[in-house]
Amino acid sequence: MIMLAVDDERPALEVLKQELAKVNPAFQVCAFRDPAQALNFAEDNSIDVAFLDIQMFGMTGVALARKLKLLQPKINIIFTTGYSNYMKEAFEMHASGYLLKPVEASAIQAELENLRHPPASAPAPAPQENTGSRVQIKCFGSFDVLVDGKAVNFKYEKARELLAYLVDRRGTACSSREIMTALWEDDSHGSYLRNVRKCLLDTMNSLDCGDILETDWGKIRIVPEKVDCDYYRWLAGDVSGINAWRGEYMSRYSWAEDTNARLGDS
């Protein structure tokens, strides 16, 4: 895979290069401190993923991303920044990811496994084993959650949608701002999100399935290895997952349209 790394601060750029090398030493990383030089490079070279700082001298990362997308519509943009207040702009332009500094290899790996436009050389997802989980999650068609074969009822419908979003993010730790941007398209529902999040955790704990979720420092993630999910089986190339696909993915949620398109194009 060919990576573009752009950050006008030399120390941050070096850290990014080091962490990318930890993910895969075979990555071809083309690093620039000058956004204009990075743009010139993209005019003549195909790029799989661009890691862009946002606040840079001469051109912001958001502006650079827009120019890169004009040159290469299928380029994957991942913002790497010390600020969380640009997340709305990132999601509006359909960025593949948004990483807060200091960037770590594990976070990069999680984003590379969930690219909007996976290149042929993208890292393959880990095989989804049948763990015999009590929790079955169905993503194809509408989104459904079953424990021991019985449908799970949630006090808030948004709690179900939150779980659906975490499943879609496939183990990535999601911040409150990211979740609000996806579920409400703005970040002004903090109080409601706290209630929704508590509802989700309480519901799964009441069914002795709370271990499928992990929380840390205001973030929440699903543990993919602890659920049986048709989407994860499809990603792993499992015949049962492939046969379950009928052209619809989490049909009730607008934020799932990108994943549905990727499934349809595969």
Side-chain angles (χ1 to χ4, degrees), residues 32 41 69 92 105 190 198 203 221 227 234 248:
F32 296 89
F41 176 83
K69 277 186 166 290
E92 285 177 347
K198 184 177 186 301
T203 299
R221 66 182 287 266
V227 300
W234 185 96
E248 279 192 320

Side-chain angles (χ1 to χ4, degrees), residues 21-239:
K22 290 179 183 179
V23 174
N24 191 335
F27 286 160
Q28 181 181 338
V29 181
C30 306
F32 296 89
R33 293 179 60 198
D34 184 343
Q37 291 181 1
L39 188 60
N40 290 336
F41 176 83
E43 291 177 352
D44 300 314
N45 298 273
S46 178
I47 299 167
D48 294 313
V49 186
F51 292 85
L52 311 179
D53 185 27
I54 289 185
Q55 289 194 342
M56 295 187 291
F57 181 77
M59 186 187 306
T60 68
V62 174
L64 176 58
R66 293 193 179 102
K67 293 178 183 294
L68 289 172
K69 277 186 166 290
L70 288 175
L71 292 173
Q72 302 185 33
K74 294 295 184 180
I75 191 173
N76 293 285
I77 303 294
I78 296 178
F79 290 110
T80 61
T81 177
Y83 304 90
S84 61
N85 53 311
Y86 292 97
M87 192 172 290
K88 185 174 186 293
E89 289 90 336
F91 277 90
E92 285 177 347
M93 67 183 310
H94 304 294
S96 282
Y98 193 102
L99 300 175
L100 291 177
K101 297 178 180 178
V103 176
E104 297 181 352
S106 59
I108 292 174
Q109 177 69 33
E111 295 295 351
L112 293 180
E113 291 176 353
N114 196 36
L115 295 174
R116 289 185 178 275
H117 307 291
S121 56
Q128 178 73 15
E129 297 181 358
N130 184 356
T131 60
S133 172
R134 297 173 52 228
V135 182
Q136 287 79 46
I137 294 179
K138 297 180 180 180
C139 300
F140 296 156
S142 60
F143 179 79
D144 294 299
V145 186
L146 298 92
V147 174
D148 298 329
K150 297 181 180 179
V152 176
N153 295 315
F154 296 91
K155 179 179 179 181
Y156 300 122
E157 181 58 31
K158 278 294 183 183
R160 181 192 303 275
E161 184 175 359
L162 171 56
L163 180 57
Y165 183 72
L166 297 177
V167 170
D168 182 74
R169 294 294 286 155
R170 294 162 49 197
T172 299
C174 300
S175 67
S176 296
R177 187 179 296 273
E178 174 186 346
I179 292 168
M180 286 187 288
T181 300
L183 272 59
W184 290 282
E185 298 185 351
D186 64 56
D187 58 2
S188 62
H189 293 77
S191 179
Y192 188 16
L193 176 58
R194 285 191 290 273
N195 290 333
V196 167
R197 175 172 158 154
K198 184 177 186 301
C199 173
L200 173 58
L201 293 170
D202 287 350
T203 299
M204 301 316 297
N205 283 329
S206 71
L207 296 169
D208 293 325
C209 298
D211 61 338
I212 72 167
L213 299 167
E214 290 183 351
T215 60
D216 185 35
W217 292 98
K219 294 186 176 182
I220 185 170
R221 66 182 287 266
I222 194 166
V223 183
E225 298 80 13
K226 294 186 176 181
V227 300
D228 183 5
C229 174
D230 52 3
Y231 174 43
Y232 295 167
R233 290 185 177 279
W234 185 96
L235 290 168
D238 187 286
V239 174

